[in-house]
Amino acid sequence: MVFHKEFQTAGKEPGLQVWRVEKMDLKPVLKQLHGNFFTGDCYVLLYTTAAPSYYIHMWLGSESSQDEKGAAAIFTTQLDDFLGGDPVQFREVQNNESLTFLGYFKSGIKYKQGGVASGFQHVVTNDMNVKRLLHIKGRRAIRATEVDMSWSSFNRGDCFIIDLGKDIFQWCGSECNRFERLKASQVAIDVRDNERNGRATLLMIEEGGEPQAVIDALGTKPNIPAGSPDDESVDRSNQKKGALYMISDAAGSMKASVVAQTSPFKQEMLSPSECYILDNGVDSKIFIWKGPSANTAERNAAMKAAEQFIKEKKYPRHTQVQVLPGGGETTLFKQFFCNWKDKDQTTGPGQAYSLGRIAKVVQVPFDSSGLHTNKTMAAQHGMVDDGSGKVQVWRVEDGDQVPVDPSSYGQFYGGDCYLVLYSYRLGGREQHIIYTWQGLKCTQDELAASAFLTVRLDDSMGGSPVQVRVTQGQEPAHLMSLFKGKPMVIHLGGTSRKGGQSRVGSTRLFHIRQSSTRATRAVEVEPSAAFLNTNDVFVLKSPNTVFLWRGVGATEEELAAAQYVTSFLGGGSATEVSEGKEPAGFWSALGGKKEYQTSRSLQKMVKPPRLFGCSNKTGRLIAEEVPGDFNQSDLATDDVMLLDTWDQVRSWPELNVELSCLSAKDYVDSDPSGRRGIAITTIKQGMEPPTFTGWFQAWDPKLWETDPLERIRARF
């Protein structure tokens, strides 16, 4: 088969690649514009994990032509062939994308009007003559849709972004809640930092408090109508029902014969020499499973078979399709089977699963030892390169920037703000990124100075750098990868300035964890045994000794990072302690033994944890999954959140005990795998046990002491 020249770079390193179909050809989209989609176009996306394993997505805009859809399907099949038929394939339709797809874009996806046929291009612009209106929808999966620049597009229940080029206004309707404002702010910050290269002013405005610039752009403001309720699915009870069919002659006149009318299914129903359709059409999802020894023509015709099946069943055109090779099954597919087992060892690449990190299941190749030596740095979000370029770091001090000693690069103190300038070459040209890191314990003056100094540094370089503002604890993978193989170290508080160091505690505890992109971070936490976690490595420095504690599920990279942390803490060589064999001195330094995250399921489970938000603000129960890797800031305090770790479901916070229990019970009862009677725990906000907090890296017990909305406003 002839392969497109763009495929030469496909899947070569971990991360996301995006191409747009242009005049029956494929053209790459710049990384900083990932997440922007023209509604008149089609796209092909490839996500590669470190293992590697591959996920191909064909995205179809609502106004794209039949020819463009056909070309996207051909390129998808070619890319699947080029990668040996191993990828999982998804068909994505605008406004009905899969959670896997939405998880790549944590700050939301933006739908832009027009497309290649009407001359619209993907470009990063310093052009300040932009004039557009974005309507923000969604609490967990955020979508920003370009709408007519008119007051008639507004309603009181949602947030809108009025983008006037050099000024970007986030308009909040009088009926929208705090969490929706928080999510809309992420989109506004993303527009400023990535589309406008950091060169725009952000302002949050309330309905009724519009400045003159907004009135000039939109005209006299009429009465704004009320918001309409979100249109998520009402009833979960039949959403999880599935039927299983075997396909014969998929390449010719496809026939589908029933294997089982209703889930849960048994894994042995799938023969390795056949292809199957798992019909979850009631929830707008169809899965095609390709047996590893099925004939090539049938495997290649899988997507076509799915589309034919959707037509025959008269399912909506936007029905999601996943095409899965045997061994590459997704969580959504496996949940329909009551006895699914993944192979511990396989001979094909990327087919067995192992838990690479809490809240992230990484597919690994059959030679798991290769995983520990693989130093490839990569990215889910904005990894422009492997971090091997030039790094300069300054600390904000007395309103100015002071160079940081290169020997302590990578160490960040919660009482400071820093500017990190990163320079690298791309396509023969030098490129720059300015990261502005803002500690959670820095002063308001330092926050303001860091923003001013970023603009000054940017101006001194002719306005060419990309600006990225980073809040402590929210470091992107690329920033974590800049310190030449050393972990990024985040001190709880204090400052690195000479003579200004606040006294550190006599006992200190650092939590070391590797991210899904293979970068390591060491985060200082309160010195208490409750913060330990069986999957990670910890360094404990007491007045008399330094302990290096290794959890059962920890990796070699985390151990190496811990040894680096012990080297700068001083106190002599570290005493290595394995979990379960701790000396008495270790526990006494931590103030005594306490319960911590020791869940065996964390070590042995192949099913990744899932986080859902449940809301009944519309008078009916709506459950929605959080896409991608979740973190503590995904917990919405005005919703009931469900954390499903397979052996238990935990409900948080205890706002309404009846609603919490009802949500959790309804969720378990509708599980297609037939799980019943598992433990349901209700958790109070502010009193979370380690069996809950252990699923979130560097859990901050003081996170809600300050208003999350005020924290994100500080980034404006």
Side-chain angles (χ1 to χ4, degrees):
M1 182 179 263
V2 178
F3 294 117
H4 195 283
K5 64 181 189 302
E6 276 297 324
F7 296 167
Q8 293 308 312
T9 60
K12 290 287 186 288
E13 50 186 63
L16 185 66
Q17 291 167 276
V18 182
W19 297 274
R20 176 164 77 152
V21 176
E22 296 186 11
K23 298 178 179 151
M24 305 305 135
D25 198 6
L26 270 189
K27 291 288 162 70
V29 174
L30 283 172
K31 280 195 171 171
Q32 63 215 83
L33 295 178
H34 287 180
N36 289 275
F37 297 92
F38 284 109
T39 58
D41 290 332
C42 294
Y43 295 77
V44 176
L45 295 84
L46 172 67
Y47 181 69
T48 306
T49 73
S53 50
Y54 308 104
Y55 299 85
I56 300 173
H57 302 262
M58 171 175 73
W59 187 90
L60 310 175
S62 59
E63 294 158 29
S64 59
S65 70
Q66 217 40 57
D67 285 349
E68 286 168 320
K69 288 174 184 169
I74 290 166
F75 287 132
T76 299
T77 303
Q78 286 183 356
L79 181 55
D80 183 67
D81 266 6
F82 179 77
L83 295 169
D86 288 330
V88 175
Q89 291 178 48
F90 298 76
R91 188 186 75 148
E92 311 283 2
V93 178
Q94 181 184 332
N95 283 313
N96 289 278
E97 294 87 357
S98 67
L99 274 164
T100 305
F101 182 91
L102 295 168
Y104 303 142
F105 312 106
K106 285 294 270 188
S107 56
I109 54 179
K110 297 188 274 298
Y111 301 134
K112 296 180 163 185
Q113 292 173 343
V116 72
S118 38
F120 289 92
Q121 296 299 322
H122 282 285
V123 286
V124 178
T125 177
N126 295 327
D127 176 13
M128 294 303 184
N129 298 320
V130 180
K131 204 174 173 187
R132 64 175 177 164
L133 180 65
L134 296 173
H135 181 186
I136 314 300
K137 290 289 279 183
R139 289 164 67 73
R140 271 149 286 267
I142 316 165
R143 292 180 171 89
T145 306
E146 190 175 344
V147 291
D148 288 338
M149 187 82 177
S150 154
W151 283 117
S152 63
S153 299
F154 284 74
N155 72 70
R156 297 200 299 271
D158 291 327
C159 291
F160 291 78
I161 291 171
I162 305 160
D163 183 0
L164 303 180
K166 67 179 175 52
D167 293 311
I168 300 168
F169 298 92
Q170 178 183 328
W171 183 94
C172 304
S174 55
E175 296 169 6
C176 77
N177 67 37
R178 302 177 65 72
F179 200 66
E180 287 164 336
R181 289 164 188 244
L182 207 58
K183 293 297 181 182
S185 297
Q186 290 176 3
V187 179
I189 288 168
D190 186 64
V191 171
R192 177 195 64 192
D193 290 354
N194 288 326
E195 290 186 46
R196 221 53 46 75
N197 261 339
R199 286 178 202 85
T201 305
L202 276 187
L203 294 156
M204 193 182 291
I205 58 175
E206 300 294 329
E207 179 187 344
E210 295 82 7
Q212 193 57 44
V214 169
I215 303 297
D216 292 345
L218 290 163
T220 309
K221 188 177 129 198
N223 279 334
I224 303 289
S228 56
D230 294 337
D231 53 3
E232 290 112 327
S233 188
V234 183
D235 180 20
R236 288 181 57 90
S237 60
N238 73 344
Q239 270 189 309
K240 300 292 188 177
K241 296 257 187 314
L244 189 64
Y245 298 84
M246 188 169 83
I247 312 171
S248 53
D249 195 21
S253 56
M254 185 199 80
K255 296 179 189 65
S257 49
V258 177
V259 176
Q261 285 282 15
T262 183
S263 55
F265 312 124
K266 287 194 159 61
Q267 191 174 0
E268 44 273 25
M269 290 175 178
L270 301 174
S271 159
S273 57
E274 303 292 348
C275 294
Y276 294 82
I277 289 178
L278 195 162
D279 175 8
N280 182 218
V282 289
D283 196 22
S284 297
K285 293 184 183 71
I286 297 291
F287 303 86
I288 304 269
W289 186 84
K290 303 187 294 187
S293 46
N295 76 58
T296 308
E298 287 204 346
R299 287 166 63 87
N300 287 349
M303 188 64 80
K304 198 176 84 181
E307 291 179 348
Q308 188 182 327
F309 186 84
I310 288 166
K311 268 189 202 152
E312 286 175 7
K313 289 282 189 181
K314 296 189 170 55
Y315 287 147
R317 284 215 323 267
H318 65 246
T319 299
Q320 289 176 19
V321 177
Q322 290 187 18
V323 178
L324 311 160
E329 298 81 6
T330 58
T331 307
L332 279 182
F333 177 82
K334 291 188 284 193
Q335 68 176 353
F336 287 93
F337 294 80
C338 59
N339 65 338
W340 191 275
K341 298 267 191 305
D342 282 303
K343 293 190 184 78
D344 291 323
Q345 286 189 306
T346 62
T347 50
Q351 292 184 352
Y353 282 79
S354 84
L355 190 66
R357 204 64 287 135
I358 298 181
K360 178 71 178 175
V361 165
V362 182
Q363 282 189 303
V364 299
F366 63 92
D367 178 12
S368 59
S369 64
L371 208 62
H372 300 305
T373 54
N374 178 355
K375 301 297 179 203
T376 311
M377 294 311 277
Q380 259 179 316
H381 310 295
M383 285 291 277
V384 293
D385 69 350
D386 62 359
S388 59
K390 184 185 176 192
V391 180
Q392 291 169 270
V393 185
W394 297 269
R395 183 178 54 255
V396 175
E397 199 172 310
D398 301 327
D400 207 349
Q401 60 192 74
V402 176
V404 169
D405 183 340
S407 67
S408 61
Y409 277 8
Q411 293 195 45
F412 293 78
Y413 289 78
D416 283 334
C417 290
Y418 299 86
L419 304 187
V420 180
L421 174 63
Y422 180 67
S423 307
Y424 64 104
R425 296 196 76 77
L426 186 67
R429 287 179 51 219
E430 190 162 55
Q431 309 274 352
H432 307 280
I433 301 171
I434 302 170
Y435 288 105
T436 310
W437 188 89
Q438 299 171 332
L440 290 175
K441 296 188 178 176
C442 68
T443 65
Q444 224 28 63
D445 287 348
E446 285 170 327
L447 269 182
S450 70
F452 162 73
L453 293 169
T454 300
V455 172
R456 190 176 78 176
L457 179 59
D458 181 82
D459 287 346
S460 74
M461 301 180 74
S464 66
V466 171
Q467 296 176 28
V468 184
R469 293 179 205 199
V470 179
T471 305
Q472 179 179 342
Q474 304 289 323
E475 292 79 15
H478 186 253
L479 175 58
M480 287 161 62
S481 75
L482 301 187
F483 306 109
K484 310 295 177 261
K486 293 188 294 194
M488 183 173 188
V489 181
I490 298 166
H491 299 262
L492 197 56
T495 170
S496 58
R497 68 189 69 177
K498 271 202 176 141
Q501 282 99 335
S502 53
R503 283 176 63 85
V504 294
S506 59
T507 302
R508 304 178 73 189
L509 183 64
F510 285 84
H511 180 181
I512 290 110
R513 177 179 289 176
Q514 188 178 36
S515 77
S516 58
T517 54
R518 316 201 66 71
T520 36
R521 179 169 55 176
V523 183
E524 188 177 4
V525 293
E526 298 292 343
S528 161
F531 283 95
L532 297 175
N533 190 309
T534 194
N535 293 270
D536 299 321
V537 175
F538 286 75
V539 172
L540 171 64
K541 182 184 187 299
S542 72
N544 308 319
T545 185
V546 178
F547 294 102
L548 195 159
W549 183 89
R550 181 176 187 166
V552 172
T555 67
E556 293 301 322
E557 284 100 330
E558 286 165 343
L559 199 60
Q563 279 154 352
Y564 169 73
V565 173
T566 62
S567 70
F568 68 75
L569 279 177
S573 60
T575 304
E576 200 167 314
V577 173
S578 293
E579 182 178 9
K581 296 178 181 171
E582 298 87 353
F586 175 81
W587 295 119
S588 60
L590 285 172
K593 267 190 185 183
K594 289 194 177 108
E595 186 191 0
Y596 65 89
Q597 178 61 283
T598 55
S599 172
R600 276 171 56 244
S601 61
L602 290 185
Q603 298 154 35
K604 298 186 178 172
M605 188 177 71
V606 292
K607 296 177 178 69
R610 301 168 74 185
L611 184 66
F612 293 83
C614 302
S615 162
N616 74 340
K617 66 174 183 172
T618 57
R620 51 191 170 77
L621 191 67
I622 294 162
E624 196 185 1
E625 187 166 359
V626 174
D629 286 355
F630 57 76
N631 57 42
Q632 191 179 352
S633 61
D634 286 315
L635 295 170
T637 53
D638 54 348
D639 283 344
V640 171
M641 305 297 297
L642 297 180
L643 176 66
D644 180 3
T645 59
W646 189 250
D647 60 338
Q648 255 192 64
V649 172
R650 296 171 178 89
S651 169
W652 176 101
E654 194 185 52
L655 290 171
N656 174 328
V657 176
E658 191 180 348
L659 176 62
S660 299
C661 294
L662 178 69
S663 305
K665 186 176 184 312
D666 178 56
Y667 171 74
V668 172
D669 287 350
S670 65
D671 188 335
S673 70
R675 258 190 312 171
R676 295 292 180 270
I678 65 165
I680 294 172
T681 310
T682 304
I683 311 265
K684 289 187 176 75
Q685 185 180 350
M687 299 175 71
E688 295 86 358
T691 47
F692 182 81
T693 60
W695 297 95
F696 303 82
Q697 195 199 353
W699 176 273
D700 180 2
K702 296 177 180 166
L703 181 70
W704 292 289
E705 286 179 13
T706 53
D707 184 347
L709 207 52
E710 289 306 314
R711 276 204 308 276
I712 204 159
R713 268 188 173 152
R715 295 175 63 192
F716 267 38

